[in-house]
Amino acid sequence: MRYSAFCKISVVAALLLAAGMTATAKTYIPIKYKWDYSIPTDMFYFLDLEQDGQQDVYAVIMEQENYINAFNSTGEIQWSTSVSEMKRDSGCTPVGETVYFIYVDDINNNKDLDIFVASKVRGEKINLNPLAYFERETDPASETHKQVQRWKYDNFEGMVNDMTSADINFDGKKEIIAASSLGFVYVIGDQGTREPQTITYLENGVWKQRTTYVLNVQVMDKYNLDGNSVNSVAASDIDLDGKPEIIAGTYRGIYLIDDGIKWKYPTQTGIKKVAASNLYETGLIAATDGNILYALDATGKLMWQKELGNVADLTIADLDNDSTTEIITVEEDKIRAYGTQGSLLWEYPQGDIIHKMLLLSDNELAINTKNKIFLLQTDEVYAKNLTAYKYLDMAKDYYRKEDCLSARGPAEKALELLTQINNTEGMLDAEIIKLQCQNDTTNKELADEYYAMAQKYFQDADYENARAYNDKAMQIYSDVGYTYGVTWLCGKLLEQIDAADYKLKVDQADKLYAAAYWQYTTDNLHNATISLDKAKGIYQDINYTQGIKNCDSLYKDIETKEKKKTADELADLGKRKYAELEYSDAINSIEQALEIYREINATNEITDMTNLRNLSERHVQAEQCYATAEGNYNAGLYENATYYANQSKNMYTDLEEYAKIAASDQIIADSQKKIREKQMWDMAQTGGIIIAGIIVVIAALFAITHLRRPKT
């Protein structure tokens, strides 16, 4: 018996409305994993410093040495430098200068890294919060790099809580925007006036000099935000007037600065993070105190707020390229996207607690966890799924209105896209509309077709599609009252699918775990982690406890080996720098390697690196003594020159640096010669004075005798 067209439409419409219209299909996310670096970091930045289209990573480790590690886009470490604790004098009392915040950029677009260092100076007679600008200057002649201080601003009020950069005055160079713990926002630049400065440096055992420059620092603007500690700053042209505005999050509110404080949105709690954007000509400001997410428009009006909890970072973007703006947040181990009306759009489960997030220029996301930096890229499957469901919703709307003629076209378009991305649930929803609108079969016959397809997929071991077709067949059998089909056909097949699927997933997970272990043993740690993630995900889906425990154990082994690999790279860099006679840079890398080796208890490596560090330090000490000897010699202090040259000679003797021993001997010989010449000159001067004195005495005696002689 065949149903009438009207009955078929009514029955299937009821089916879709009850079970399929909300589409229990796969969940797609607009971002996916691209690569990761195994490196611990407190702050990190992505810059195309070489202007070659490749974003390099600059990872900052805030410890005693404050390391900056530079990696290229393939994860290879390029160089390592440090901004060490410095020493100042307050009268006769030394005080420490401790670095606590580092920001990097290329503010003048000259392909040299600019480093902005916030520090605190504390002592009995001094209390300063300086902000310094260093440039990692390239020497064109030798192609070596020197970290040169361009300016230092000692009068910063309060500690620096956050920094960003923007071209505020349209001079083609970015200014630094700094947030103060005492409630100020500083805009700091320079006057453009260059003052020459001579730098002495050691290259290949030879002391050389070159001229660089320093800049006169100036505070271009300073804004007082009612004394409220400023925790976060961002810059964006949210009102589209061609000039970037400054958005500040403080202890008690959100401020917009545009040639002065334009408006304030008060909050009851302190704002930790702010972000702003003018995507699609819609000014949007996002802010959080860690628990509440605020969304404001460009005029400071609250659009909505949402209680979330544990928001570590946020940004504003259009990651899915659908021409709508999203607020992207980091919430513990998840990245979440919210629409401009506050609705949750999607979430990406990372697995580890996320500390910070950066939006790259090409809409990629960078995040860091405790020991890794990840890059996430746009997933094109998400866009296809989004478009397909727009067509599917359109088809469903026509179908509800019993307008099959209009429903068929968008259903076919949806089916085409959903087939491309293998979204079975969505495909079935689109196919039901398409088939019913073709008016060529009954519902019972359609269910029979689906059951036959489910059996075929089951025989082919494609259990996901088998379950999807079996579920649809069961739904239709139930709606038409075919109990046998529900219980004995679809019900039994579902049991078989579940049992076979469980076994298949265990086998799949076991193979992935075995692959992960093999990749681990062959040092292919990146792929080992990917395989292990997939294995653990399957074990968790089927609640296979032993498999999960095995994965967790191998994760720890991989982490240890990754740390060892990172340490080995730093150790190799240190050895290379040692071989290139760049002993200070060698020490930087060796110290980082040693720290990791101690953490994983790599005894042999600790011994080797300790010996190499001691040798490097000995070289640095020897170079310093030699430079001091040379400086004293040039200043005419030959006794001091002799002393320090003997010190460097002794050190170079221990190091078996024969050329340096000869150079030290030369300074000693030249100094002794100068000392002897000075002694001879002093003796000559003394002898001349004595002879002159004798002559004077003789002349005086002669004169006296002549005066006493009687006149005749």
Side-chain angles (χ1 to χ4, degrees):
M1 175 181 178
R2 300 182 65 86
Y3 291 93
S4 67
F6 177 77
C7 289
K8 285 195 297 182
I9 291 174
S10 299
V11 172
V12 179
L15 166 67
L16 290 171
L17 286 169
M21 294 298 278
T22 55
T24 59
K26 293 181 181 178
T27 299
Y28 293 95
I29 303 173
I31 53 176
K32 62 181 179 180
Y33 170 92
K34 186 175 183 181
W35 49 250
D36 66 75
Y37 295 153
S38 295
I39 183 75
T41 177
D42 296 296
M43 305 171 187
F44 70 108
Y45 306 92
F46 277 68
L47 300 173
D48 182 8
L49 193 65
E50 299 296 328
Q51 300 175 21
D52 58 359
Q54 298 293 325
Q55 297 262 2
D56 298 331
V57 185
Y58 299 89
V60 180
I61 305 175
M62 297 300 300
E63 294 176 350
Q64 183 177 359
E65 296 299 325
N66 307 303
Y67 297 106
I68 302 175
N69 296 307
F71 299 84
N72 64 15
S73 58
T74 62
E76 297 173 338
I77 189 166
Q78 300 300 292
W79 50 263
S80 176
T81 189
S82 68
V83 181
S84 303
E85 290 188 0
M86 296 163 276
K87 298 292 182 183
R88 292 200 182 199
D89 287 333
S90 176
C92 297
T93 306
V95 295
E97 182 168 359
T98 305
V99 174
Y100 63 88
F101 195 104
I102 295 176
Y103 177 79
V104 304
D105 198 352
D106 180 13
I107 61 169
N108 48 17
N109 204 35
N110 67 350
K111 299 185 181 182
D112 277 329
L113 188 70
D114 300 318
I115 307 169
F116 297 88
V117 180
S119 56
K120 56 184 178 181
V121 182
R122 300 292 184 265
E124 184 178 345
K125 300 180 181 180
I126 190 168
N127 186 343
L128 296 174
N129 298 288
L131 178 60
Y133 164 31
F134 297 87
E135 187 170 22
R136 195 170 185 268
E137 183 184 73
T138 303
D139 179 19
S142 63
E143 294 186 353
T144 58
H145 297 86
K146 302 296 175 183
Q147 192 169 286
V148 182
Q149 182 174 303
R150 297 298 186 209
W151 53 252
K152 191 164 194 175
Y153 180 66
D154 274 335
N155 299 320
F156 197 91
E157 294 189 51
M159 293 179 62
V160 174
N161 284 337
D162 195 16
M163 277 190 270
T164 189
S165 55
D167 187 1
I168 298 294
N169 60 358
F170 302 104
D171 63 351
K173 179 180 177 181
K174 296 179 183 177
E175 285 72 46
I176 286 297
I177 303 166
S180 159
S181 62
L182 293 184
F184 299 99
V185 170
Y186 284 81
V187 180
I188 301 177
D190 60 74
Q191 298 173 346
T193 305
R194 298 188 175 201
E195 296 181 1
Q197 180 185 64
T198 300
I199 292 180
T200 302
Y201 62 99
L202 187 67
E203 182 181 319
N204 296 326
V206 179
W207 286 95
K208 295 184 178 181
Q209 288 186 334
R210 62 189 173 93
T211 301
T212 183
Y213 66 90
V214 294
L215 295 168
N216 294 319
V217 63
Q218 66 171 335
V219 176
M220 300 171 57
D221 285 298
K222 179 182 176 184
Y223 303 100
N224 186 346
L225 305 191
D226 304 325
N228 294 315
S229 175
V230 185
N231 302 319
S232 178
V233 288
S236 178
D237 180 16
I238 64 170
D239 59 6
L240 294 173
D241 65 351
K243 177 184 177 183
E245 288 78 47
I246 300 171
I247 299 90
T250 76
Y251 180 66
R252 280 293 181 266
I254 306 161
Y255 290 75
L256 182 78
I257 300 172
D258 187 6
D259 293 328
I261 299 173
K262 192 170 183 179
W263 53 255
K264 171 188 175 183
Y265 179 81
T267 58
Q268 295 299 313
T269 52
I271 299 298
K272 294 181 179 180
K273 292 286 183 180
V274 294
S277 178
N278 61 0
L279 285 174
Y280 312 115
E281 301 185 0
T282 302
L284 178 62
I285 297 169
T288 182
D289 63 359
N291 295 311
I292 299 175
L293 177 62
Y294 298 91
L296 310 178
D297 65 16
T299 67
K301 180 182 177 182
L302 179 67
M303 299 165 59
W304 50 267
Q305 68 182 54
K306 201 175 188 75
E307 187 168 350
L308 302 176
N310 298 319
V311 179
D313 207 349
L314 52 80
T315 189
I316 299 174
D318 176 18
L319 283 180
D320 54 15
N321 297 314
D322 65 347
S323 300
T324 58
T325 304
E326 298 95 45
I327 298 175
I328 316 296
T329 65
V330 164
E331 301 173 40
E332 295 187 338
D333 62 342
K334 296 179 178 64
I335 299 171
R336 289 190 170 122
Y338 297 90
T340 54
Q341 302 303 315
S343 59
L344 177 64
L345 302 178
W346 51 263
E347 72 174 35
Y348 177 86
Q350 168 59 30
D352 296 324
I353 299 298
I354 304 169
H355 297 160
K356 186 175 175 57
M357 169 176 60
L358 285 178
L359 177 68
L360 278 60
S361 58
D362 51 0
N363 263 18
E364 293 179 329
L365 271 184
I367 59 173
N368 79 299
T369 60
K370 181 180 179 181
N371 291 312
K372 284 188 178 182
I373 296 174
F374 294 84
L375 188 68
L376 308 173
Q377 64 181 349
T378 301
D379 190 346
E380 65 280 357
V381 174
Y382 178 88
K384 287 187 176 182
N385 190 66
L386 198 67
T387 303
Y389 272 92
K390 288 180 181 178
Y391 284 124
L392 187 55
D393 288 341
M394 186 186 305
K396 290 174 182 178
D397 187 53
Y398 284 126
Y399 195 86
R400 288 188 185 98
K401 299 173 183 177
E402 301 181 7
D403 184 357
C404 272
L405 185 63
S406 299
R408 183 176 174 181
E412 289 176 344
K413 291 180 180 178
L415 182 59
E416 179 183 356
L417 291 171
L418 293 164
T419 302
Q420 290 176 10
I421 60 176
N422 196 29
N423 186 336
T424 304
E425 292 287 343
M427 289 161 54
L428 289 172
D429 284 343
E431 191 176 53
I432 287 175
I433 297 176
K434 177 184 174 183
L435 291 175
Q436 290 305 307
C437 288
Q438 286 176 337
N439 194 26
D440 61 355
T441 185
T442 67
N443 287 288
K444 170 65 167 57
E445 291 169 345
L446 180 62
D448 291 341
E449 290 179 12
Y450 285 161
Y451 178 71
M453 289 295 295
Q455 288 181 309
K456 181 181 182 303
Y457 279 121
F458 175 70
Q459 292 168 1
D460 294 340
D462 185 349
Y463 303 121
E464 182 179 353
N465 281 331
R467 183 178 288 106
Y469 277 97
N470 192 64
D471 287 347
K472 287 297 182 183
M474 183 181 288
Q475 289 170 4
I476 299 175
Y477 283 144
S478 177
D479 281 326
V480 300
Y482 188 49
T483 307
Y484 180 82
V486 174
T487 305
W488 296 101
L489 297 180
C490 295
K492 293 297 182 182
L493 182 57
L494 184 60
E495 291 177 2
Q496 294 174 327
I497 291 171
D498 287 342
D501 191 29
Y502 183 86
K503 183 179 184 304
L504 177 66
K505 286 181 177 178
V506 170
D507 291 343
Q508 288 175 339
D510 288 346
K511 289 178 181 178
L512 286 166
Y513 177 83
Y517 190 82
W518 170 253
Q519 290 156 348
Y520 161 75
T521 59
T522 56
D523 292 334
N524 190 354
L525 303 182
H526 169 69
N527 287 334
T529 302
I530 293 175
S531 298
L532 199 58
D533 286 341
K534 293 177 181 177
K536 185 176 180 181
I538 296 172
Y539 285 138
Q540 288 173 330
D541 286 342
I542 61 177
N543 197 28
Y544 188 56
T545 306
Q546 186 58 49
I548 296 171
K549 289 181 179 179
N550 292 341
C551 289
D552 289 339
S553 177
L554 187 54
Y555 273 128
K556 292 180 181 178
D557 293 339
I558 291 173
E559 183 180 3
T560 299
K561 187 169 278 193
E562 284 180 332
K563 289 180 178 179
K564 174 71 162 51
K565 183 179 179 182
T566 299
D568 289 344
E569 290 176 354
L570 289 165
D572 290 342
L573 181 62
K575 292 174 183 177
R576 188 169 77 242
K577 291 297 182 182
Y578 180 87
E580 295 170 354
L581 311 182
E582 297 181 15
Y583 302 114
S584 295
D585 285 346
I587 293 171
N588 288 335
S589 299
I590 292 167
E591 287 286 1
Q592 293 183 86
L594 268 172
E595 183 177 349
I596 300 173
Y597 284 139
R598 292 189 187 106
E599 184 181 347
I600 61 177
N601 197 28
T603 307
N604 294 335
E605 287 80 0
I606 292 172
T607 301
D608 292 343
M609 285 296 100
T610 300
N611 292 336
L612 186 59
R613 181 196 60 190
N614 293 340
L615 278 174
S616 299
E617 289 175 344
R618 193 71 171 162
H619 275 288
V620 170
Q621 292 170 355
E623 289 176 351
Q624 291 172 343
C625 285
Y626 182 85
T628 304
E630 195 174 45
N632 278 287
Y633 179 84
N634 293 334
L637 303 173
Y638 303 117
E639 289 83 359
N640 288 345
T642 301
Y643 172 80
Y644 285 107
N646 273 311
Q647 292 289 318
S648 66
K649 177 183 177 180
N650 292 336
M651 294 179 188
Y652 285 132
T653 300
D654 292 341
L655 296 168
E656 298 182 358
E657 292 278 355
Y658 301 111
K660 302 292 181 66
I661 295 171
S664 299
D665 279 337
Q666 188 63 51
I667 291 180
I668 294 171
D670 291 345
S671 297
Q672 292 300 310
K673 180 180 178 182
K674 291 292 185 180
I675 290 172
R676 289 195 297 271
E677 289 176 353
K678 186 175 184 300
Q679 290 174 342
M680 293 295 294
W681 173 250
D682 290 345
M683 290 176 61
Q685 284 183 319
T686 301
I689 291 171
I690 293 172
I691 293 171
I694 293 172
I695 292 172
V696 169
V697 170
I698 293 172
L701 291 174
F702 177 80
I704 292 170
T705 304
H706 179 74
L707 289 173
R708 289 180 177 178
R709 184 179 299 171
K711 296 181 180 180
T712 56

